[in-house]
């Protein structure tokens, strides 16, 4: 069954104008990825203006807009050209592409409101789309669909295969991948070149339906989108054979043009190929359903209840906290990388199975999915061993450019993880999360502070990292103690203090023990629990330093980047000395 | 064609003893992964003692030993049990498993000389094996083969699919994967459970030969290893259906036993199942060929030759340096993630194509492969955009436990990368690499210092990170200048210095410009190029601080973790102000 020709007849002229824009904006910027844009121009024009895509251009925040993600974000000239065709960008602004201060950045970020997420660290777009599709299908029951444009080069990234397997596992019918197989990467031919059957075999083996098309044939393009809409077996990957540089004769399928722009005679020649282009053309995007997600009222929740001195692992308190606050934060969801019986996210998973997502041992996709969920208004708590977040550092890094609202919870922090050895110990995690702009790093030492800080995290907008411990630690705080981002607790002090001990997490208990030993030697110590590692409560630390004999006597035993390493990596660990 | 029964008749008793060891060591430690060891016991006994594996037990460093990697390193009880069966560990030492100070760590590390690499951050073993296989096939022309034991849970990690695709691309006939499909992960059933056909379809679609067997049938096991040896189409994956907990009746295929040990009555019951086990049994491992890699003599090389003032991007100087020093370091190899025309590794790739490996856009596997090459005596230089090493932080982190000898070269460092935007800028890279124990972080500012430091890096044993710049910077050093790890250069100084400016990389040139402006205001500044960011030349900095009015006047403008972020992420970048 083939499309009615009247459905596609307006598309070639629109695609031609899109290509013209790609050329003029990269000419103006003398920078940007022209040829990578040209290969996908027909596919994306067909998607947006061929009746499939549904989006209220006057309201990019409409909850039922279809989602469009350019995982190959370097095709940003095309991305902006499409939104210009839709009437959302004036031609004048289009020419600000890649200029300082322009919202049309070299690779899309949400500074441009039609960009769902910042993309292009390659291999991340499908995970973000997976998160958005999961949100629609499993949480909000909204009929919007998510379309992800994928480059062929970036299919070499394992992260995409993580997303593919999980989308099949969750049988997401509302997720469509569009693979732009233009054969050429940055440096030369891709591993698979034009072997689109090989891509199809792989994607099918991972549980998706595949549709192989000529990415420059509008009838095939429109038919594929219609088939994708009607498919009920699982997610669909449209695998399109395309030509890099398509539409500018001397760039077509030519090597050495990735990320290159035209100038002088070549720019002139290229422009001539667009003689007579109608710059007034505009495409119409179909309107979305006017469905909104159901509003769930927050409920009052129980207070924290622990007994001083009881031994509770902070990871257990984390699970307890999620369960306790779940009804206060109806958008809160939990994702875990097949270790929920270690991170104790399983406590929430058992209490609220519909809001817990098993992401298996695929941390990169888990973080990308969390970003997608967060961008659809959810409050994701993502848990794994602290050490294994290093697996997803690129996804964490990129999420800061998408205004992510995610709390990462890393268990088994530090050498106190013990005999499992260094591979399982979070030792670099603080350095990693501190390097993220405006991130918050929290490391509570007992169950009460953990519960309170999880609640603080749920209410906070931004990226938070919370470290928990494997072993049980005694409850040291009364249930009504107040904890905040940037705060600390002075646990021991007297007017005679001679030294200040600053600790966080497991070392708080070591500092309290050191305090006792020092007392016996007649030395008065101040003990501070600097549970907020970033931002640090500098005022309190400064005050303590001034009070206890100056900075030379301030001993910081917060685990720094290299904490405990000689211990952890040179010896097997029974109990860390 | 089935194996001669005489080839397998000795294996059941050996496997039974291996299982017995797994039980007793985890009982003794009251910690460790018993059930995950039991599922693979027949497979691995069959491999080591069934005639396939070739290894000189008296010489674990023999260059032609077959390589054995437990990617599922948590099956360490089995790993150590096998080497005990081979006579390499006394039973007494076996019982030191997971004790403080023992070389038999919770997850294997090379402190135990029969462990090729530290494993278990899951999903990494196949990349390491790929690197070793690549070394044998493409560099040393040695007939050893590399065997990697894989867990089914860890097949969810995208990194493994990166390794699978690259091993097929390089058609490595000397690499064998052994997938232990025991159905159960840490928390419950895996995504695919016992659907071994689904695994096989995926692996085959990625270009491997697959063999599906019952992982507890020695005839099938031995036949599979023989078939794998004879296969000539590509790498082989043996996909074995196994039973978690196999050999202890009440643990078999039972949920809730991952990482759990036995005690009390249960331990007794389990031990009874091994009544009459012959603890004196030993298995024989076949001997390796006595082939050694050909020795290539280092040659004299040309000196560095640049003209002061010439504008050369340090990334270009990096490529030039690799080409220049290649013959001095015959073991030097270059790996690049499909951006060699940006990192400029292509200069070496063109000069020495046999020593350059295109790793495509799959950074995790690239780093794992580099580790494998490094452990086979190569000197890998691994290049990518600085930002994209965040993709492989877990692999970088793990490599420190394998005594890796790798230089990571990140191009496009910092905001000076410009209009491509924050996704392409190395901003967190210094924080990341500094967090690695004993790592070295170098950031040269011109072509001469880059060339010299690349040569230093090639001669250094350990993990080095070297950052390069996208844009051209003027040569500021004479060709005979000396650079070293931990060094710095004082570029401007006088007895009247009032302030010290410390810089590295691009900011060196900004500091020199600030020096000129300060001079015009009558302010004398000292300018230091702290090209060795870790270790930092503290003595020189301290001296400068003392000489120029104390620490309050020491302005460190080395890019810190958050360098330039307000600039990079809040605005598109034409030229960073």
């Amino acid at each position: 069954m083939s499309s009615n020709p009247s459905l596609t007849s307006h598309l070639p002229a629109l695609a031609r104008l899109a290509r013209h824009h790609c050329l003029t904006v990269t000419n103006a910027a003398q920078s940007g990825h022209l040829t990578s844009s040209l290969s996908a121009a027909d596919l994306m024009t067909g998607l947006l203006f061929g009746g499939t895509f549904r989006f209220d251009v006057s309201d990019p925040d409409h909850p039922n807009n279809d989602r469009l993600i350019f995982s190959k974000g370097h095709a940003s000239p095309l991305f902006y050209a499409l939104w210009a065709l839709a009437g959302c960008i004036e031609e004048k602004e289009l020419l600000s592409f890649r200029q300082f201060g322009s919202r049309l950045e070299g690779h899309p970020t949400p500074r441009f409101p039609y960009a769902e997420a910042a993309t292009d660290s390659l291999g991340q777009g499908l995970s973000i789309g997976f998160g958005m599709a999961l949100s629609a299908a499993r949480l909000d029951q909204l009929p919007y669909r998510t379309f992800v444009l994928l480059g062929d080069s970036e299919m070499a990234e394992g992260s995409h295969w993580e997303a593919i397997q999980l989308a099949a596992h969750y049988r997401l019918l509302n997720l469509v991948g569009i693979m732009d197989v233009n054969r050429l990467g940055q440096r030369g031919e891709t591993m698979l070149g034009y072997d689109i059957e090989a891509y199809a075999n792989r994607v099918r083996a991972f549980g998706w339906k595949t549709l192989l098309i000529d990415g420059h044939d509008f009838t095939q393009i429109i038919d594929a989108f219609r088939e994708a809409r009607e498919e009920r077996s699982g997610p669909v990957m449209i695998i399109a054979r395309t030509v890099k540089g398509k539409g500018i004769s001397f760039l077509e399928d030519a090597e050495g043009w990735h990320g290159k722009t035209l100038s002088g005679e070549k720019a002139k020649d290229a422009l001539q190929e667009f003689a007579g282009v109608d710059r007034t053309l505009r495409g119409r995007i179909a309107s979305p359903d006017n469905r909104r997600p159901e509003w769930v009222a927050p409920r009052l929740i129980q207070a924290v209840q622990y007994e001083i001195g009881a031994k509770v692992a902070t990871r257990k308190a984390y699970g307890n906290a999620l369960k306790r606050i779940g009804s206060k934060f109806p958008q809160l969801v939990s994702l875990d990388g097949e270790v929920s019986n270690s991170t104790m996210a399983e406590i929430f998973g058992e209490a609220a199975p519909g809001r817990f997502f098993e992401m298996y041992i695929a941390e990169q996709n888990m973080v990308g999915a969390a970003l997608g969920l967060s961008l659809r208004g959810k409050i994701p708590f993502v848990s794994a061993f602290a050490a294994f977040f290093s697996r997803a550092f690129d996804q964490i890094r990129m999420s800061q450019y998408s205004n992510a609202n995610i709390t990462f919870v890393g268990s088994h922090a530090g050498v106190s993880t013990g005999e499992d050895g260094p591979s399982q110990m979070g030792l670099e995690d603080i350095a990693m999360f501190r390097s993220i702009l405006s991130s918050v790093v929290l490391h509570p030492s007992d169950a009460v502070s953990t519960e309170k800080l999880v609640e603080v995290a749920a209410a906070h907008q931004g990226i938070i990292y919370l470290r928990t411990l494997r072993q049980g630690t005694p409850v040291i705080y009364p249930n009504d103690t107040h904890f905040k981002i940037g705060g600390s607790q002075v646990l021991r002090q007297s007017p005679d203090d001679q030294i200040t001990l600053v600790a966080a997490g497991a070392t708080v208990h070591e500092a309290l023990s050191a305090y006792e030993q020092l007392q016996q030697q007649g030395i008065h110590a101040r003990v501070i629990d600097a549970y907020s590692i970033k931002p640090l409560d500098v005022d309190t630390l400064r005050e303590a330093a001034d009070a206890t004999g100056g900075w030379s006597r301030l001993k910081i035993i917060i685990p720094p980047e290299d904490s405990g390493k000689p211990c952890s990596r040179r010896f097997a660990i029974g109990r860390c000395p």
Side-chain angles (χ1 to χ4, degrees), chain A:
Chain A
M1 190 179 66
S2 188
S3 293
N4 183 331
S6 69
L7 294 176
T8 62
S9 58
H10 62 301
L11 295 174
L14 282 168
R16 187 157 184 257
L17 180 54
R19 288 193 166 95
H20 172 263
H21 286 332
C22 295
L23 175 62
T24 54
V25 304
T26 52
N27 278 352
Q30 279 301 298
S31 161
H33 297 78
L34 172 60
T35 55
S36 308
S37 295
L38 296 176
S39 62
D42 296 325
L43 287 166
M44 292 294 105
T45 303
L47 172 63
L48 265 71
F49 307 115
T52 293
F53 196 68
R54 306 183 68 179
F55 195 99
D56 183 347
V57 291
S58 70
D59 182 10
D61 292 330
H62 192 297
N64 211 27
N65 281 338
D66 282 348
R67 307 290 148 197
L68 176 64
I69 297 169
F70 269 42
S71 183
K72 52 174 283 187
H74 54 286
S76 54
L78 174 63
F79 185 73
Y80 302 130
L82 292 167
W83 291 109
L85 289 185
C88 306
I89 312 176
E90 297 293 325
E91 201 169 324
K92 188 181 156 202
E93 183 182 6
L94 208 50
L95 293 173
S96 74
F97 173 61
R98 284 181 170 244
Q99 301 306 311
F100 193 76
S102 170
R103 60 181 187 162
L104 309 184
E105 297 198 52
H107 297 80
T109 78
R111 292 188 62 230
F112 176 62
Y114 297 87
E116 298 284 345
T119 53
D120 210 323
S121 177
L122 292 173
Q124 300 195 11
L126 200 57
S127 295
I128 301 168
F130 162 74
M132 293 181 167
L134 195 69
S135 187
R138 296 295 182 105
L139 294 164
D140 290 337
Q141 276 81 46
L142 287 177
Y144 73 76
R145 290 186 303 144
T146 301
F147 298 89
V148 184
L149 175 66
L150 300 158
D152 48 355
S153 275
E154 64 169 332
M155 296 314 295
E157 287 283 17
S159 50
H160 266 156
W161 297 94
E162 294 181 3
I164 288 172
Q165 74 185 340
L166 266 300
H169 179 75
Y170 280 101
R171 230 175 130 256
L172 296 178
L173 304 176
N174 55 354
L175 181 61
V176 179
I178 304 146
M179 204 192 293
D180 175 22
V181 185
N182 64 24
R183 187 182 75 86
L184 294 171
Q186 163 171 335
R187 177 219 39 81
E189 191 165 72
T190 60
M191 240 182 300
L192 295 175
Y194 267 143
D195 189 354
I196 60 172
E197 273 297 345
Y199 288 111
N201 285 338
R202 294 177 186 193
V203 174
R204 271 198 300 269
F206 273 69
W208 286 42
K209 166 91 173 177
T210 57
L211 300 169
L212 277 60
I213 63 170
D214 173 347
H216 302 303
D217 177 324
F218 281 109
T219 304
Q220 291 189 38
I221 292 169
I222 297 301
D223 283 353
F225 284 121
R226 199 198 50 243
E227 269 194 72
R229 194 165 57 228
E230 289 164 6
E231 180 62 36
R232 286 292 168 270
S233 66
V236 175
M237 184 73 75
I238 296 170
I239 303 176
R241 183 186 161 116
T242 64
V243 175
K244 196 157 177 169
K246 177 77 176 180
I248 297 178
S249 54
F250 57 91
L251 296 180
E252 290 190 358
D253 200 32
E255 298 211 16
W257 282 102
H258 181 93
K260 300 276 169 64
T261 56
L262 301 174
S263 57
E265 282 307 308
K266 278 209 170 4
K268 259 188 221 160
D269 291 347
L271 277 170
Q272 270 174 1
E273 300 199 23
F274 293 94
V277 70
D278 179 358
R279 284 156 61 181
T280 67
L281 269 186
R282 293 292 176 271
R284 208 187 73 76
I285 296 180
S287 296
D289 285 352
N290 205 13
R291 295 253 290 276
R292 307 254 159 190
E294 211 178 319
W295 188 75
V296 181
R299 293 203 214 147
L300 285 177
I301 55 171
Q302 287 195 318
V304 176
Q305 286 182 318
Y306 291 95
E307 279 183 32
I308 294 280
K311 267 209 168 182
V312 184
T314 56
R315 59 182 170 132
K316 179 101 187 284
Y318 165 63
N320 292 342
L322 279 194
K323 180 180 172 185
R324 186 176 63 81
I325 69 173
S327 58
K328 181 176 172 183
F329 299 96
Q331 302 304 321
L332 189 156
V333 295
S334 163
L335 286 74
D336 191 275
E338 225 271 275
V339 286
S340 60
N341 53 343
S342 287
T343 62
M344 303 313 282
E346 72 174 8
I347 297 173
F348 180 75
E350 282 160 15
R355 289 158 65 188
F356 173 82
F357 297 102
E358 178 56 74
M359 292 285 116
Y360 297 94
I361 308 182
E363 295 82 2
Q364 296 189 79
N365 178 65
M366 176 164 71
V367 172
L371 177 58
L373 285 158
S374 139
L375 293 170
R376 298 317 314 135
K378 302 295 168 266
I379 305 174
F381 278 70
V382 185
S383 47
F385 279 36
F388 303 143
F389 278 118
S390 59
R391 196 57 157 257
F393 188 19
D394 197 17
Q395 281 78 5
I396 294 165
R397 173 183 82 86
M398 284 300 294
S399 75
Q400 70 188 314
Y401 304 116
S402 291
N403 308 317
N405 181 31
I406 305 174
T407 299
F408 299 94
V409 181
S411 70
H412 297 62
V415 293
S416 60
T417 294
E419 65 273 12
D420 269 333
S423 62
Q424 318 295 306
M425 294 172 179
L427 299 172
E428 299 83 2
D429 53 329
I430 293 178
M432 177 173 79
F433 278 104
R434 279 190 67 243
S435 76
I436 302 298
L437 185 73
S438 306
S439 66
V440 171
V441 177
L442 303 172
H443 191 22
S445 59
D446 83 339
V448 170
S449 49
T450 303
E451 286 252 14
K452 297 294 181 84
L453 288 170
V454 170
E455 198 168 343
V456 164
H460 176 82
Q461 174 73 35
I463 294 172
I464 292 193
Y465 176 55
L466 186 131
R467 315 174 94 200
T468 65
L469 298 167
R470 178 193 193 187
Q471 76 278 23
T473 49
V475 172
I476 54 172
Y477 290 110
N479 286 309
D480 59 356
T481 316
H482 180 68
F483 295 85
K484 64 177 186 186
I485 291 169
S488 69
Q489 297 284 348
V490 180
L491 289 169
R492 298 285 184 277
Q493 67 177 328
S494 78
D496 306 322
D497 291 344
Q498 297 158 272
I499 189 170
T500 302
L501 306 174
V502 184
T507 57
V508 167
H509 305 279
E510 302 300 322
L512 289 173
S513 159
Y515 166 88
E516 298 295 342
Q517 292 176 42
L518 290 169
Q519 279 288 95
Q520 286 165 18
Q521 297 171 36
I523 300 168
H524 297 278
R526 185 165 298 187
V527 179
I528 298 176
D529 174 3
Y531 60 81
S532 179
I533 292 176
K534 180 186 173 190
L536 198 63
D537 185 357
V538 175
D539 290 345
T540 300
L541 295 189
R542 198 181 297 274
E543 195 185 307
D546 289 343
T548 61
W551 291 90
S552 64
R553 290 216 185 142
L554 176 75
K555 304 290 177 198
I556 299 193
I557 56 172
I558 298 168
E561 291 160 19
D562 289 331
S563 76
K565 289 210 173 171
C567 162
S568 70
R569 56 199 65 187
R570 296 298 170 221
F571 305 98
I573 302 228
R575 181 174 297 231
C576 196

